[in-house]
Amino acid sequence: MPIMASHIGEENMKTLAKRALIASIFLCMTSGSVAAEEEASDSLRPNYLLTASINRERQSLSGAWTYSKDLYRTGLTDIDGRPAKPRLQRYRDIDVQSIEAASGIDFLEFDMDRGPTMMVPGAWNAAVPELRYYNGLVWFQKKFTPTRTTDGRAFLEFGAVNYRAHVYLNGEEVGTHEGGFTPFVFEVTDLLREGENRLVVGVDSAHDDQTIPTPITDWDNYGGITRPVHIVYTPRTFVDDATLRLTPDGLLTGSVTLDGPEANGTGVHVAIEGLDAEADVTTGSDGQAMVSIPAPDELQRWSPDAPKLYDVRFSTVDDQLEDQIGFRNIEVSGSDILLNSKPIFLRGIALHEEEFGTNPARRITPQAARSLLGEVKNELHGNYVRLSHYPHARVMTRMADELGLLVWSEIPVYWTADWDNPEVLEKAKRMQSETYFRDRNRASVILWSIGNETPVSEDRTAFHTALAEHIKALDADRLVSAALLVEGDEKNGHPLIRINDPLVDELDVMAVNSYAGWYGSNTLDELPSIEWDVPEDKPLLFSEFGAGALAGFHDPEGKQKWSEEFQAEFYRQTLSMIEKIPNLRGMSPWILKDFRSPRREHPVFQNGWNRKGLMSETGVPKIAFGVLADYYWKKMQSEPVSIESVE
Ligand code: GCB
């Protein structure tokens, strides 16, 4: 099959060309050129986007896959970095059993066909007890027969693989990807064969000082193919990307990008169902056409109260792509956040990507997303979620669009990174680009966070500044934030907490994490007297505050840490402390439900779980859930909220 070799050759060429471009951009960027920055944004655009592929003809590869663990990475390399021995290359397209039956000289030290099985998507940590704390390489194999009904192109689409993926189809390398929380796509048109195909993916979950995040986090690393894998079928020339948004000056603006032999000079019809808004555009030599339609008067703006989504259709003679898009404006004015020109208070909660249950596998099905976000919307009376500490599954942002929840989206630049390493910065920017291109049609996403609790230093601030510039160059409309560290002091005998971080200048919205009353020396009754010294010319969010409690563990006096009563009192006192801050515009306390964390090993209260959830891991609400729900209910009714009156 000659196409296979040329396919890889082409991928390599693209990568080399990109590297050259990135290197030259990096040189230009040091001279501060704006044009160079724009180019840099574009160079990190994924080769294929397959926007709204959920609405395309596609074949799910979910289900049982066989696997083989490979602690020493023998399937990739031999000692001293030499090529792996063929008898260990798990991705070979061979029938091991018949080779063995032939009784020849060759033997194999694997057999992907007879390996144990695991459900994909899903983390191996939850699937197999001996892999609970395994960090390293595992090979996965799926055999499948294409269901294609059209005679066009085929793409292999991964929702996410944590952390590195080495992908092979029918024994040929298709490509690699780094980053555990963003999608990636490879074209496999010429590699797919009729009948049975063999897909093998080497998944390496090891983290080091140059990965994002680094190895130390406060959540379970969850190795594996954690999000769905599909084969997506398209016509030869297809709409790879189509986007439309409402600009502040009332235009529905966006672009359509075609890919394929007829990509250039092709007409595209854009129509929005239920609205008198249409456009006919023609693609240029780059396969792209810009779209701009005056927003009709009857356009209903998307909001948490009325999460109206429109079916938007982009049609060519060969292809039709549809996406469900909400239209809204988001901006900052002084210290206010304005949604559709009206000030909004963000009644939120933070979430990890972890479903309810005693043994979560980071398997976010639509039902799992609905039940997590449904708690926020219906029981907590929220209008906002912080999807921490990395981009969550696509189904979450789509569900947020549908249910009406605003979203803080985050890349896993968490606690630390190799700040002065340009390759690490490029990885972080690539994660931003992959997230942006995946979610740019989601009205729910309003905030891009560029980091969480990173200690202030010159290198770190330069790194974050570059990320702020990168995301702004991609997306001038959404807001940029970061969860900042704060410092404690004293003023006239009172405790004082201040933000002292030059990164504030780069942010549209400031955000802080506060654990006074849980970590540190403050008692709960001191909290309301703590003064906050924060810049007042921008909106402030509390991106975190929280205290641990084991569901069902009680101390009626509320004095003992880990009791539900202590946690509830922590919420009352913290709310009372922060609501005095004049530019407070929202919060996402830590966290909706208890989540797995290997840092947390108290044998009675934790056992591998961070207990700061308002609910247990199975969804049993703790007392503090009611405290926050009541607070939000009152905020929602626009009643003046008095903490004293909260139950
Ligand atoms: C934080 C981190 C979060 C932790 C939390 C905690 O500040 O941002 O990832 O899980 O504190 O529980 O200590």
Side-chain angles (χ1 to χ4, degrees), residues 457-476:
S457 75
E458 235 174 75
D459 288 347
R460 159 275 188 191
T461 304
F463 187 99
H464 284 297
T465 303
L467 293 183
E469 284 168 1
H470 181 67
I471 193 68
K472 275 285 171 199
L474 288 169
D475 190 350

Side-chain angles (χ1 to χ4, degrees), residues 269-318:
H269 182 68
V270 185
I272 306 177
E273 197 170 297
L275 281 185
D276 189 14
E278 291 181 73
D280 283 294
V281 292
T282 304
T283 57
S285 57
D286 53 357
Q288 201 178 65
M290 306 313 285
V291 182
S292 187
I293 312 171
D297 291 344
E298 69 270 24
L299 179 84
Q300 292 175 43
R301 262 86 175 147
W302 182 98
S303 75
D305 296 335
K308 169 74 185 164
L309 299 177
Y310 288 97
D311 282 335
V312 185
R313 222 162 279 135
F314 304 85
S315 324
T316 67
V317 271
D318 295 319

Side-chain angles (χ1 to χ4, degrees), residues 217-219 352 386 388-389 410 414-415 452-453 483 485 513-515 518-519 543-548 590-591 595 597 599-600 610-612:
T217 61
D218 186 17
W219 68 82
H352 264 295
R386 175 183 180 191
S388 45
H389 281 300
E410 183 165 345
Y414 179 89
W415 287 350
N452 181 76
E453 290 186 351
L485 288 168
N513 295 349
S514 166
Y515 285 90
W518 178 254
Y519 301 126
S543 36
E544 287 177 30
F545 60 82
W590 195 250
I591 182 171
F595 61 96
S597 171
R599 292 175 76 80
R600 311 293 177 176
N610 183 314
R611 294 291 181 201
K612 296 191 188 71

Side-chain angles (χ1 to χ4, degrees), residues 545-591:
F545 60 82
L550 179 67
F553 178 66
H554 292 285
D555 166 25
E557 291 189 14
K559 296 270 181 273
Q560 200 178 332
K561 283 192 172 169
W562 305 115
S563 69
E564 289 197 32
E565 289 78 3
F566 181 92
Q567 188 192 37
E569 187 60 12
F570 171 94
Y571 267 74
R572 287 187 203 99
Q573 300 293 353
T574 303
L575 291 168
S576 161
M577 168 180 75
I578 69 178
E579 70 167 5
K580 294 189 200 111
I581 304 172
N583 50 333
L584 177 73
R585 293 296 175 269
M587 60 186 81
S588 48
W590 195 250
I591 182 171

